[in-house]
Amino acid sequence: MARKGRAARLTERAAFRPPTGRSLEESSLTEQGLAPPDKKTGRILLIACGALAREILAIKEINGLDHIDLTCLPAKLHLYPDQITASVEGAVLKHRHSYDQICVVYADCGTGGALKQKCAELGVQMVPGPHCYSFFEGNDTFASHAEAGEITAFYLTDFLVKQFDAFIWRPMGLDKHPELRQMIFGNYTKLVYQSQLSDPALLDKARDCATRMGLAFEHRHTGYGELQEALLHWGKQDL
């Protein structure tokens, strides 16, 4: 059998694959995403990043949003942001005839505006903002930090603290070549941990991440920020 060219292999990898995960374990959300309910009783479907699954389900429970269903694409797509737009489009096309409304729980997430444009073409709403660090803290607040010069901060959320090795340390080769640390993180000055839950164990782990990266540590408890506002807004819309 002839060996496939690089372009063909990349095309295959970028093709939409429906989420298959049924677990809320971080490793499953990273690799498999979260499959939608077998019985689509909800009128609204959220297509989200696997890194946001626990937060979305918590917001649903707290606010009684029982008419909203959730499916998540694998969180590892963030390692390949050029694939996010096509994957979201595939998920929307797969489910749009089963739901009265579909909303996308991604921010721009490194797509350079492509995801926003595609969502507009598909007629679905998405969470505003450049990335989850911004909407967790509040887009205006995050922008004010940037304007004040906070451009040398490395951000982690609850999910990323839990998946630090899988998302950051190993993909950057630091597990095998720790000497690369200064070259990779040398331009950063601090690690900002934006916590969604008040969890002392996660706080300790976040501090350890900063130590491993050789960065100063800052903790900001953001809660669910504008993610919760977006879900409440969608949940109250007339369908």
Side-chain angles (χ1 to χ4, degrees):
M1 181 180 293
R3 184 179 179 185
K4 295 181 181 179
R6 182 173 182 273
R9 295 197 304 273
L10 287 175
T11 299
E12 284 186 357
R13 188 175 70 175
F16 168 67
R17 296 179 177 86
T20 58
R22 295 288 183 179
S23 170
L24 288 177
E25 291 296 323
E26 278 70 22
S27 58
S28 179
L29 292 170
T30 295
E31 296 291 334
Q32 300 172 315
L34 183 69
D38 291 326
K39 296 182 179 180
K40 300 178 177 63
T41 57
R43 295 178 295 161
I44 299 173
L45 177 67
L46 304 180
I47 297 173
C49 170
L52 301 173
R54 289 178 177 272
E55 288 74 21
I56 292 170
L57 292 174
I59 292 168
K60 272 172 43 66
E61 181 177 359
I62 291 168
N63 295 283
L65 301 175
D66 299 329
H67 59 300
I68 294 180
D69 289 340
L70 173 66
T71 184
C72 293
L73 299 173
K76 67 180 181 180
L77 279 175
H78 280 287
L79 299 174
Y80 314 100
D82 58 310
Q83 297 180 20
I84 291 175
T85 300
S87 296
V88 169
E89 179 182 19
V92 171
L93 295 178
K94 176 179 174 62
H95 296 294
R96 73 182 322 162
H97 298 296
S98 301
Y99 285 88
D100 296 312
Q101 180 179 341
I102 291 178
C103 298
V104 172
V105 193
Y106 275 86
D108 182 76
C109 297
T111 67
L115 182 58
K116 182 178 180 179
Q117 180 179 344
K118 180 57 65 176
C119 286
E121 292 173 3
L122 294 168
V124 297
Q125 299 178 63
M126 62 180 281
V127 180
H131 37 63
C132 62
Y133 315 125
S134 182
F135 66 62
F136 273 139
E137 187 153 356
N139 285 312
D140 290 343
T141 300
F142 190 88
S144 69
H145 285 308
E147 291 171 1
E150 189 175 273
I151 58 174
T152 58
F154 193 96
Y155 298 92
L156 294 181
T157 62
D158 286 357
F159 180 89
L160 289 174
V161 170
K162 295 174 184 177
Q163 288 286 284
F164 181 77
D165 286 303
F167 260 76
I168 297 164
W169 209 250
R170 289 199 295 271
M172 292 183 176
L174 291 163
D175 56 327
K176 297 179 179 178
H177 301 284
E179 70 276 7
L180 296 175
R181 184 182 72 172
Q182 181 59 29
M183 182 180 74
I184 295 173
F185 300 122
N187 291 324
Y188 292 98
T189 58
K190 65 179 177 180
L191 183 152
V192 177
Y193 169 38
Q194 298 176 327
S195 63
Q196 286 70 66
L197 299 177
S198 296
D199 185 332
L202 279 181
L203 184 57
D204 288 343
K205 187 171 182 180
R207 286 196 181 96
D208 179 65
C209 292
T211 299
R212 290 168 66 183
M213 296 168 74
L215 301 177
F217 178 73
E218 181 176 339
H219 174 220
R220 299 174 188 163
H221 182 68
T222 65
Y224 302 123
E226 292 177 7
L227 174 62
Q228 179 162 243
E229 294 176 15
L231 265 61
L232 289 173
H233 173 68
W234 292 336
K236 293 176 181 177
Q237 288 182 351
D238 293 327
L239 303 178

